[in-house]
Short mmCIF file of all heavy atoms in Angstrom, two decimals:
data_model
loop_
_atom_site.label_atom_id
_atom_site.label_comp_id
_atom_site.label_asym_id
_atom_site.label_seq_id
_atom_site.Cartn_x
_atom_site.Cartn_y
_atom_site.Cartn_z
N MET I 1 3.35 -19.81 -42.29
CA MET I 1 3.60 -18.55 -42.95
C MET I 1 2.46 -17.56 -42.67
O MET I 1 2.70 -16.36 -42.57
CB MET I 1 3.74 -18.81 -44.45
CG MET I 1 4.31 -17.64 -45.20
SD MET I 1 5.98 -17.33 -44.64
CE MET I 1 6.50 -16.20 -45.85
N ASN I 2 1.23 -18.07 -42.54
CA ASN I 2 0.10 -17.20 -42.25
C ASN I 2 0.22 -16.56 -40.87
O ASN I 2 -0.23 -15.44 -40.66
CB ASN I 2 -1.22 -17.96 -42.36
CG ASN I 2 -1.54 -18.32 -43.79
OD1 ASN I 2 -1.08 -17.65 -44.70
ND2 ASN I 2 -2.32 -19.38 -43.97
N VAL I 3 0.81 -17.28 -39.94
CA VAL I 3 0.98 -16.76 -38.59
C VAL I 3 1.96 -15.57 -38.59
O VAL I 3 1.76 -14.58 -37.90
CB VAL I 3 1.47 -17.86 -37.64
CG1 VAL I 3 1.80 -17.31 -36.28
CG2 VAL I 3 0.44 -18.97 -37.55
N LEU I 4 2.98 -15.68 -39.41
CA LEU I 4 3.96 -14.60 -39.51
C LEU I 4 3.32 -13.32 -40.06
O LEU I 4 3.57 -12.23 -39.55
CB LEU I 4 5.13 -15.04 -40.39
CG LEU I 4 6.28 -14.03 -40.52
CD1 LEU I 4 6.90 -13.77 -39.17
CD2 LEU I 4 7.29 -14.54 -41.51
N VAL I 5 2.48 -13.45 -41.05
CA VAL I 5 1.79 -12.29 -41.63
C VAL I 5 0.86 -11.68 -40.58
O VAL I 5 0.80 -10.45 -40.42
CB VAL I 5 1.02 -12.70 -42.90
CG1 VAL I 5 0.15 -11.56 -43.40
CG2 VAL I 5 1.98 -13.16 -43.97
N LEU I 6 0.15 -12.51 -39.85
CA LEU I 6 -0.75 -12.02 -38.80
C LEU I 6 0.04 -11.33 -37.69
O LEU I 6 -0.37 -10.27 -37.19
CB LEU I 6 -1.57 -13.18 -38.23
CG LEU I 6 -2.55 -12.82 -37.12
CD1 LEU I 6 -3.63 -11.89 -37.66
CD2 LEU I 6 -3.16 -14.09 -36.54
N GLN I 7 1.16 -11.88 -37.31
CA GLN I 7 1.98 -11.29 -36.26
C GLN I 7 2.54 -9.94 -36.68
O GLN I 7 2.55 -8.99 -35.90
CB GLN I 7 3.12 -12.24 -35.90
CG GLN I 7 3.95 -11.75 -34.73
CD GLN I 7 5.01 -12.77 -34.33
OE1 GLN I 7 5.18 -13.80 -34.97
NE2 GLN I 7 5.72 -12.47 -33.25
N VAL I 8 2.98 -9.80 -37.91
CA VAL I 8 3.48 -8.52 -38.42
C VAL I 8 2.34 -7.50 -38.46
O VAL I 8 2.51 -6.34 -38.09
CB VAL I 8 4.14 -8.71 -39.81
CG1 VAL I 8 4.41 -7.38 -40.47
CG2 VAL I 8 5.41 -9.52 -39.67
N PHE I 9 1.16 -7.92 -38.90
CA PHE I 9 0.01 -7.03 -38.96
C PHE I 9 -0.36 -6.51 -37.57
O PHE I 9 -0.58 -5.31 -37.37
CB PHE I 9 -1.18 -7.74 -39.61
CG PHE I 9 -2.43 -6.93 -39.61
CD1 PHE I 9 -2.57 -5.84 -40.47
CD2 PHE I 9 -3.46 -7.23 -38.74
CE1 PHE I 9 -3.72 -5.08 -40.47
CE2 PHE I 9 -4.61 -6.48 -38.72
CZ PHE I 9 -4.75 -5.39 -39.59
N VAL I 10 -0.43 -7.40 -36.59
CA VAL I 10 -0.78 -7.00 -35.23
C VAL I 10 0.29 -6.08 -34.65
O VAL I 10 -0.02 -5.09 -33.99
CB VAL I 10 -1.00 -8.25 -34.34
CG1 VAL I 10 -1.13 -7.87 -32.87
CG2 VAL I 10 -2.22 -9.02 -34.79
N SER I 11 1.54 -6.35 -34.90
CA SER I 11 2.63 -5.51 -34.41
C SER I 11 2.55 -4.11 -35.02
O SER I 11 2.73 -3.11 -34.32
CB SER I 11 3.98 -6.14 -34.74
OG SER I 11 4.11 -7.37 -34.11
N LEU I 12 2.26 -4.03 -36.30
CA LEU I 12 2.14 -2.72 -36.95
C LEU I 12 0.93 -1.94 -36.41
O LEU I 12 0.99 -0.72 -36.26
CB LEU I 12 2.05 -2.89 -38.46
CG LEU I 12 3.34 -3.32 -39.16
CD1 LEU I 12 3.09 -3.54 -40.64
CD2 LEU I 12 4.43 -2.28 -38.95
N MET I 13 -0.14 -2.64 -36.11
CA MET I 13 -1.31 -1.96 -35.52
C MET I 13 -0.99 -1.43 -34.12
O MET I 13 -1.43 -0.34 -33.75
CB MET I 13 -2.51 -2.92 -35.46
CG MET I 13 -3.09 -3.25 -36.81
SD MET I 13 -3.73 -1.79 -37.64
CE MET I 13 -2.58 -1.64 -38.99
N LEU I 14 -0.23 -2.18 -33.35
CA LEU I 14 0.17 -1.71 -32.02
C LEU I 14 1.07 -0.48 -32.11
O LEU I 14 0.92 0.48 -31.34
CB LEU I 14 0.88 -2.83 -31.25
CG LEU I 14 -0.01 -3.95 -30.75
CD1 LEU I 14 0.84 -5.07 -30.15
CD2 LEU I 14 -1.00 -3.43 -29.72
N VAL I 15 2.00 -0.49 -33.04
CA VAL I 15 2.88 0.66 -33.24
C VAL I 15 2.09 1.87 -33.71
O VAL I 15 2.27 2.99 -33.21
CB VAL I 15 4.02 0.32 -34.22
CG1 VAL I 15 4.78 1.55 -34.64
CG2 VAL I 15 4.95 -0.71 -33.61
N ALA I 16 1.18 1.66 -34.65
CA ALA I 16 0.37 2.77 -35.16
C ALA I 16 -0.51 3.36 -34.07
O ALA I 16 -0.63 4.59 -33.95
CB ALA I 16 -0.48 2.29 -36.34
N SER I 17 -1.11 2.52 -33.24
CA SER I 17 -1.95 3.04 -32.17
C SER I 17 -1.11 3.78 -31.12
O SER I 17 -1.56 4.79 -30.56
CB SER I 17 -2.76 1.92 -31.53
OG SER I 17 -1.90 0.98 -30.91
N SER I 18 0.09 3.32 -30.86
CA SER I 18 0.97 4.01 -29.92
C SER I 18 1.35 5.39 -30.44
O SER I 18 1.36 6.37 -29.69
CB SER I 18 2.23 3.20 -29.66
OG SER I 18 1.93 1.97 -29.08
N VAL I 19 1.66 5.48 -31.71
CA VAL I 19 2.01 6.78 -32.31
C VAL I 19 0.81 7.72 -32.28
O VAL I 19 0.95 8.90 -31.93
CB VAL I 19 2.54 6.58 -33.75
CG1 VAL I 19 2.66 7.90 -34.48
CG2 VAL I 19 3.88 5.87 -33.71
N LEU I 20 -0.38 7.22 -32.60
CA LEU I 20 -1.57 8.05 -32.57
C LEU I 20 -1.89 8.54 -31.15
O LEU I 20 -2.25 9.71 -30.95
CB LEU I 20 -2.77 7.29 -33.14
CG LEU I 20 -2.73 7.06 -34.65
CD1 LEU I 20 -3.89 6.18 -35.07
CD2 LEU I 20 -2.74 8.39 -35.39
N LEU I 21 -1.75 7.69 -30.16
CA LEU I 21 -1.98 8.11 -28.78
C LEU I 21 -0.92 9.12 -28.31
O LEU I 21 -1.23 10.04 -27.55
CB LEU I 21 -2.00 6.89 -27.85
CG LEU I 21 -3.24 6.02 -27.96
CD1 LEU I 21 -3.08 4.77 -27.12
CD2 LEU I 21 -4.47 6.79 -27.55
N PHE I 22 0.29 8.96 -28.77
CA PHE I 22 1.34 9.92 -28.43
C PHE I 22 1.03 11.29 -29.03
O PHE I 22 1.15 12.32 -28.36
CB PHE I 22 2.70 9.42 -28.93
CG PHE I 22 3.82 10.38 -28.69
CD1 PHE I 22 4.34 10.54 -27.43
CD2 PHE I 22 4.34 11.13 -29.73
CE1 PHE I 22 5.37 11.43 -27.20
CE2 PHE I 22 5.37 12.02 -29.52
CZ PHE I 22 5.89 12.17 -28.24
N ILE I 23 0.60 11.32 -30.29
CA ILE I 23 0.25 12.59 -30.94
C ILE I 23 -0.94 13.22 -30.23
O ILE I 23 -0.96 14.44 -29.98
CB ILE I 23 -0.02 12.36 -32.44
CG1 ILE I 23 1.28 11.99 -33.14
CG2 ILE I 23 -0.65 13.58 -33.08
CD1 ILE I 23 1.09 11.53 -34.57
N TYR I 24 -1.93 12.43 -29.87
CA TYR I 24 -3.09 12.94 -29.14
C TYR I 24 -2.67 13.55 -27.80
O TYR I 24 -3.14 14.61 -27.41
CB TYR I 24 -4.10 11.81 -28.92
CG TYR I 24 -5.30 12.20 -28.10
CD1 TYR I 24 -6.34 12.89 -28.67
CD2 TYR I 24 -5.37 11.87 -26.75
CE1 TYR I 24 -7.45 13.26 -27.92
CE2 TYR I 24 -6.46 12.23 -25.99
CZ TYR I 24 -7.50 12.92 -26.58
OH TYR I 24 -8.58 13.29 -25.82
N SER I 25 -1.78 12.88 -27.11
CA SER I 25 -1.31 13.37 -25.81
C SER I 25 -0.53 14.67 -25.96
O SER I 25 -0.66 15.59 -25.15
CB SER I 25 -0.43 12.31 -25.16
OG SER I 25 0.11 12.78 -23.96
N MET I 26 0.27 14.80 -27.00
CA MET I 26 1.03 16.02 -27.22
C MET I 26 0.13 17.20 -27.58
O MET I 26 0.37 18.32 -27.16
CB MET I 26 2.08 15.82 -28.32
CG MET I 26 3.24 14.99 -27.90
SD MET I 26 4.15 15.86 -26.64
CE MET I 26 4.76 14.52 -25.69
N ARG I 27 -0.89 16.95 -28.35
CA ARG I 27 -1.80 18.04 -28.74
C ARG I 27 -2.63 18.54 -27.58
O ARG I 27 -2.99 19.70 -27.52
CB ARG I 27 -2.70 17.59 -29.88
CG ARG I 27 -1.96 17.49 -31.18
CD ARG I 27 -2.89 17.33 -32.32
NE ARG I 27 -2.09 17.21 -33.54
CZ ARG I 27 -2.60 17.27 -34.73
NH1 ARG I 27 -3.88 17.44 -34.90
NH2 ARG I 27 -1.81 17.17 -35.78
N HIS I 28 -2.94 17.66 -26.63
CA HIS I 28 -3.74 18.06 -25.48
C HIS I 28 -2.88 18.43 -24.28
O HIS I 28 -3.41 18.68 -23.19
CB HIS I 28 -4.73 16.95 -25.11
CG HIS I 28 -5.82 16.80 -26.11
ND1 HIS I 28 -6.92 17.62 -26.14
CD2 HIS I 28 -5.97 15.93 -27.13
CE1 HIS I 28 -7.70 17.27 -27.13
NE2 HIS I 28 -7.14 16.24 -27.76
N ARG I 29 -1.60 18.48 -24.46
CA ARG I 29 -0.61 18.88 -23.46
C ARG I 29 -0.73 18.09 -22.15
O ARG I 29 -0.64 18.63 -21.06
CB ARG I 29 -0.72 20.38 -23.18
CG ARG I 29 -0.42 21.22 -24.39
CD ARG I 29 -0.49 22.69 -24.04
NE ARG I 29 -0.33 23.51 -25.22
CZ ARG I 29 0.81 24.02 -25.62
NH1 ARG I 29 1.90 23.77 -24.95
NH2 ARG I 29 0.85 24.76 -26.70
N ASP I 30 -0.94 16.81 -22.27
CA ASP I 30 -1.00 15.95 -21.09
C ASP I 30 0.38 15.69 -20.50
O ASP I 30 0.51 15.35 -19.33
CB ASP I 30 -1.63 14.60 -21.43
CG ASP I 30 -3.11 14.72 -21.73
OD1 ASP I 30 -3.69 15.75 -21.36
OD2 ASP I 30 -3.66 13.79 -22.34
N HIS I 31 1.42 15.86 -21.31
CA HIS I 31 2.77 15.56 -20.85
C HIS I 31 3.29 16.57 -19.84
O HIS I 31 4.18 16.28 -19.06
CB HIS I 31 3.72 15.48 -22.04
CG HIS I 31 3.86 16.79 -22.77
ND1 HIS I 31 2.90 17.24 -23.64
CD2 HIS I 31 4.83 17.73 -22.74
CE1 HIS I 31 3.28 18.42 -24.12
NE2 HIS I 31 4.44 18.73 -23.59
N GLU I 32 2.74 17.79 -19.82
CA GLU I 32 3.22 18.81 -18.89
C GLU I 32 2.87 18.47 -17.45
O GLU I 32 3.59 18.81 -16.52
CB GLU I 32 2.66 20.17 -19.28
CG GLU I 32 3.21 20.67 -20.59
CD GLU I 32 2.57 21.95 -21.05
OE1 GLU I 32 1.67 22.45 -20.36
OE2 GLU I 32 2.99 22.45 -22.10
N GLN I 33 1.75 17.80 -17.24
CA GLN I 33 1.36 17.44 -15.90
C GLN I 33 2.32 16.38 -15.33
O GLN I 33 2.58 16.38 -14.13
CB GLN I 33 -0.06 16.90 -15.88
CG GLN I 33 -0.53 16.55 -14.48
CD GLN I 33 -1.92 15.98 -14.47
OE1 GLN I 33 -2.52 15.75 -15.49
NE2 GLN I 33 -2.44 15.76 -13.29
N ALA I 34 2.84 15.53 -16.16
CA ALA I 34 3.76 14.49 -15.68
C ALA I 34 5.03 15.12 -15.11
O ALA I 34 5.56 14.64 -14.10
CB ALA I 34 4.10 13.53 -16.81
N ASP I 35 5.53 16.18 -15.73
CA ASP I 35 6.72 16.85 -15.20
C ASP I 35 6.43 17.49 -13.84
O ASP I 35 7.24 17.42 -12.93
CB ASP I 35 7.20 17.93 -16.17
CG ASP I 35 7.72 17.35 -17.47
OD1 ASP I 35 8.11 16.17 -17.46
OD2 ASP I 35 7.74 18.08 -18.47
N ARG I 36 5.26 18.09 -13.71
CA ARG I 36 4.89 18.73 -12.45
C ARG I 36 4.72 17.68 -11.35
O ARG I 36 5.17 17.86 -10.22
CB ARG I 36 3.59 19.52 -12.61
CG ARG I 36 3.21 20.30 -11.38
CD ARG I 36 1.92 21.06 -11.59
NE ARG I 36 0.80 20.23 -11.90
CZ ARG I 36 0.05 19.59 -11.00
NH1 ARG I 36 0.32 19.71 -9.72
NH2 ARG I 36 -0.97 18.84 -11.37
N LEU I 37 4.09 16.57 -11.67
CA LEU I 37 3.89 15.52 -10.67
C LEU I 37 5.19 14.84 -10.27
O LEU I 37 5.34 14.39 -9.14
CB LEU I 37 2.90 14.48 -11.19
CG LEU I 37 1.46 14.95 -11.32
CD1 LEU I 37 0.61 13.85 -11.94
CD2 LEU I 37 0.89 15.38 -9.99
N ALA I 38 6.15 14.79 -11.19
CA ALA I 38 7.43 14.17 -10.87
C ALA I 38 8.21 15.01 -9.86
O ALA I 38 8.97 14.49 -9.05
CB ALA I 38 8.26 13.98 -12.13
N LEU I 39 8.05 16.33 -9.90
CA LEU I 39 8.77 17.22 -8.99
C LEU I 39 7.98 17.52 -7.72
O LEU I 39 8.50 18.15 -6.82
CB LEU I 39 9.10 18.53 -9.71
CG LEU I 39 10.05 18.39 -10.89
CD1 LEU I 39 10.18 19.72 -11.61
CD2 LEU I 39 11.40 17.88 -10.45
N PHE I 40 6.74 17.10 -7.63
CA PHE I 40 5.89 17.42 -6.50
C PHE I 40 6.46 16.96 -5.15
O PHE I 40 6.40 17.71 -4.18
CB PHE I 40 4.49 16.84 -6.72
CG PHE I 40 3.52 17.20 -5.65
CD1 PHE I 40 3.10 18.51 -5.49
CD2 PHE I 40 3.01 16.24 -4.80
CE1 PHE I 40 2.21 18.85 -4.52
CE2 PHE I 40 2.12 16.58 -3.80
CZ PHE I 40 1.71 17.89 -3.66
N PRO I 41 7.04 15.76 -5.03
CA PRO I 41 7.58 15.36 -3.72
C PRO I 41 8.76 16.22 -3.27
O PRO I 41 9.10 16.22 -2.09
CB PRO I 41 8.03 13.92 -3.93
CG PRO I 41 7.29 13.46 -5.11
CD PRO I 41 7.06 14.66 -5.97
N LEU I 42 9.39 16.98 -4.15
CA LEU I 42 10.55 17.79 -3.79
C LEU I 42 10.18 19.17 -3.25
O LEU I 42 11.04 19.87 -2.74
CB LEU I 42 11.47 17.96 -5.01
CG LEU I 42 12.00 16.65 -5.60
CD1 LEU I 42 12.82 16.94 -6.83
CD2 LEU I 42 12.82 15.90 -4.58
N GLU I 43 8.90 19.56 -3.34
CA GLU I 43 8.49 20.87 -2.86
C GLU I 43 8.48 20.91 -1.33
O GLU I 43 8.20 19.91 -0.67
CB GLU I 43 7.10 21.22 -3.39
CG GLU I 43 7.07 21.44 -4.88
CD GLU I 43 5.68 21.78 -5.38
OE1 GLU I 43 4.75 21.86 -4.56
OE2 GLU I 43 5.54 21.96 -6.59
N GLU I 44 8.78 22.08 -0.81
CA GLU I 44 8.76 22.27 0.64
C GLU I 44 7.32 22.33 1.13
O GLU I 44 6.43 22.81 0.44
CB GLU I 44 9.47 23.57 1.00
CG GLU I 44 10.95 23.56 0.72
CD GLU I 44 11.72 22.67 1.67
OE1 GLU I 44 11.29 22.52 2.83
OE2 GLU I 44 12.73 22.11 1.25
N ASP I 45 7.07 21.85 2.35
CA ASP I 45 5.76 21.97 2.96
C ASP I 45 5.56 23.41 3.41
O ASP I 45 6.41 23.98 4.10
CB ASP I 45 5.62 21.05 4.16
CG ASP I 45 5.61 19.58 3.74
OD1 ASP I 45 5.26 19.32 2.58
OD2 ASP I 45 5.93 18.73 4.58
N SER I 46 4.44 24.00 3.04
CA SER I 46 4.19 25.38 3.42
C SER I 46 3.50 25.47 4.79
O SER I 46 3.50 26.50 5.42
CB SER I 46 3.34 26.08 2.37
OG SER I 46 2.11 25.41 2.24
N VAL I 47 2.93 24.38 5.25
CA VAL I 47 2.24 24.37 6.54
C VAL I 47 3.24 23.98 7.62
O VAL I 47 3.97 23.01 7.50
CB VAL I 47 1.08 23.36 6.50
CG1 VAL I 47 0.38 23.30 7.84
CG2 VAL I 47 0.11 23.70 5.39
N ALA I 48 3.27 24.78 8.68
CA ALA I 48 4.18 24.48 9.79
C ALA I 48 3.67 23.25 10.54
O ALA I 48 2.48 23.12 10.81
CB ALA I 48 4.26 25.67 10.73
N ARG I 49 4.57 22.38 10.88
CA ARG I 49 4.18 21.18 11.61
C ARG I 49 4.05 21.52 13.09
O ARG I 49 4.82 22.31 13.63
CB ARG I 49 5.23 20.10 11.41
CG ARG I 49 5.29 19.66 9.97
CD ARG I 49 6.21 18.52 9.79
NE ARG I 49 6.26 18.17 8.37
CZ ARG I 49 6.82 17.09 7.91
NH1 ARG I 49 7.39 16.25 8.72
NH2 ARG I 49 6.82 16.84 6.62
N PRO I 50 3.09 20.91 13.76
CA PRO I 50 2.91 21.22 15.18
C PRO I 50 4.09 20.71 16.01
O PRO I 50 4.63 19.65 15.76
CB PRO I 50 1.62 20.50 15.54
CG PRO I 50 1.46 19.44 14.51
CD PRO I 50 2.13 19.96 13.27
N THR I 51 4.47 21.50 16.98
CA THR I 51 5.56 21.12 17.87
C THR I 51 4.98 20.56 19.16
O THR I 51 3.80 20.73 19.45
CB THR I 51 6.45 22.33 18.20
OG1 THR I 51 5.63 23.34 18.79
CG2 THR I 51 7.08 22.89 16.93
N ALA I 52 5.79 19.88 19.92
CA ALA I 52 5.33 19.32 21.19
C ALA I 52 5.02 20.46 22.16
O ALA I 52 5.80 21.37 22.35
CB ALA I 52 6.40 18.40 21.77
N SER I 53 3.84 20.40 22.74
CA SER I 53 3.44 21.45 23.68
C SER I 53 3.43 20.87 25.10
O SER I 53 3.41 19.66 25.30
CB SER I 53 2.07 22.00 23.31
OG SER I 53 1.10 20.98 23.42
N SER I 54 3.38 21.75 26.08
CA SER I 54 3.37 21.31 27.48
C SER I 54 1.97 20.87 27.91
O SER I 54 1.81 20.36 29.00
CB SER I 54 3.87 22.43 28.38
OG SER I 54 3.01 23.56 28.25
N ASP I 55 0.96 21.07 27.07
CA ASP I 55 -0.40 20.69 27.42
C ASP I 55 -0.68 19.22 27.13
O ASP I 55 -1.70 18.68 27.58
CB ASP I 55 -1.41 21.53 26.63
CG ASP I 55 -1.32 23.01 27.01
OD1 ASP I 55 -0.87 23.28 28.13
OD2 ASP I 55 -1.68 23.85 26.17
N GLY I 56 0.16 18.55 26.43
CA GLY I 56 -0.06 17.18 26.01
C GLY I 56 0.06 16.21 27.18
O GLY I 56 0.75 16.48 28.17
N PRO I 57 -0.57 15.05 27.11
CA PRO I 57 -0.53 14.08 28.21
C PRO I 57 0.85 13.45 28.38
O PRO I 57 1.21 13.09 29.49
CB PRO I 57 -1.55 13.01 27.79
CG PRO I 57 -1.72 13.17 26.33
CD PRO I 57 -1.43 14.62 26.02
N SER I 58 1.64 13.39 27.34
CA SER I 58 2.96 12.76 27.47
C SER I 58 3.91 13.65 28.27
O SER I 58 4.74 13.16 29.01
CB SER I 58 3.54 12.45 26.11
OG SER I 58 3.71 13.66 25.38
N SER I 59 3.77 14.97 28.13
CA SER I 59 4.68 15.85 28.87
C SER I 59 4.31 15.93 30.34
O SER I 59 5.16 16.05 31.20
CB SER I 59 4.67 17.27 28.26
OG SER I 59 3.38 17.81 28.35
N SER I 60 3.01 15.84 30.69
CA SER I 60 2.61 15.88 32.10
C SER I 60 2.97 14.58 32.79
O SER I 60 3.29 14.57 33.97
CB SER I 60 1.11 16.17 32.22
OG SER I 60 0.37 15.12 31.64
N ALA I 61 2.94 13.49 32.07
CA ALA I 61 3.29 12.19 32.67
C ALA I 61 4.79 12.13 32.94
O ALA I 61 5.23 11.51 33.90
CB ALA I 61 2.85 11.06 31.76
N SER I 62 5.59 12.77 32.11
CA SER I 62 7.04 12.71 32.32
C SER I 62 7.50 13.63 33.44
O SER I 62 8.57 13.45 33.99
CB SER I 62 7.76 13.07 31.01
OG SER I 62 7.46 14.41 30.67
N GLN I 63 6.68 14.63 33.81
CA GLN I 63 7.05 15.54 34.90
C GLN I 63 6.76 14.95 36.25
O GLN I 63 7.32 15.37 37.26
CB GLN I 63 6.30 16.87 34.73
CG GLN I 63 6.77 17.67 33.54
CD GLN I 63 5.95 18.93 33.34
OE1 GLN I 63 4.96 19.14 34.03
NE2 GLN I 63 6.36 19.75 32.41
N GLU I 64 5.88 13.98 36.35
CA GLU I 64 5.51 13.41 37.64
C GLU I 64 6.50 12.44 38.16
O GLU I 64 7.28 11.82 37.68
CB GLU I 64 4.13 12.73 37.54
CG GLU I 64 3.05 13.73 37.32
CD GLU I 64 1.70 13.05 37.16
OE1 GLU I 64 1.59 11.82 37.36
OE2 GLU I 64 0.73 13.73 36.84
#
């Protein structure tokens, strides 16, 4: 029976700490960064990617 009381106490402490950390996170607006990071892979690349040029060694080797 003592183990059951200890288990309930530990479970309630875990729940209370989770609620306190959630409130802390909401007050410091940490949750807004998660939304931005979740959409980050969907943004377009603003830097143009280099295209194959005729100066490269692979293009001169294919012409010979």
Side-chain angles (χ1 to χ4, degrees):
M1 193 64 168
N2 290 336
V3 173
L4 183 62
V5 172
L6 180 64
Q7 185 175 5
V8 169
F9 175 74
V10 170
S11 298
L12 288 176
M13 290 298 112
L14 287 173
V15 169
S17 64
S18 298
V19 169
L20 289 175
L21 287 173
F22 177 75
I23 291 171
Y24 176 80
S25 176
M26 286 295 148
R27 287 192 181 191
H28 290 280
R29 298 182 186 265
D30 290 343
H31 64 282
E32 292 175 358
Q33 182 182 6
D35 293 337
R36 185 180 60 83
L37 291 176
L39 296 174
F40 184 67
L42 301 177
E43 292 180 1
E44 294 289 329
D45 292 337
S46 60
V47 178
R49 295 185 182 191
T51 58
S53 63
S54 61
D55 296 335
S58 61
S59 62
S60 63
S62 64
Q63 291 176 353
E64 292 178 7

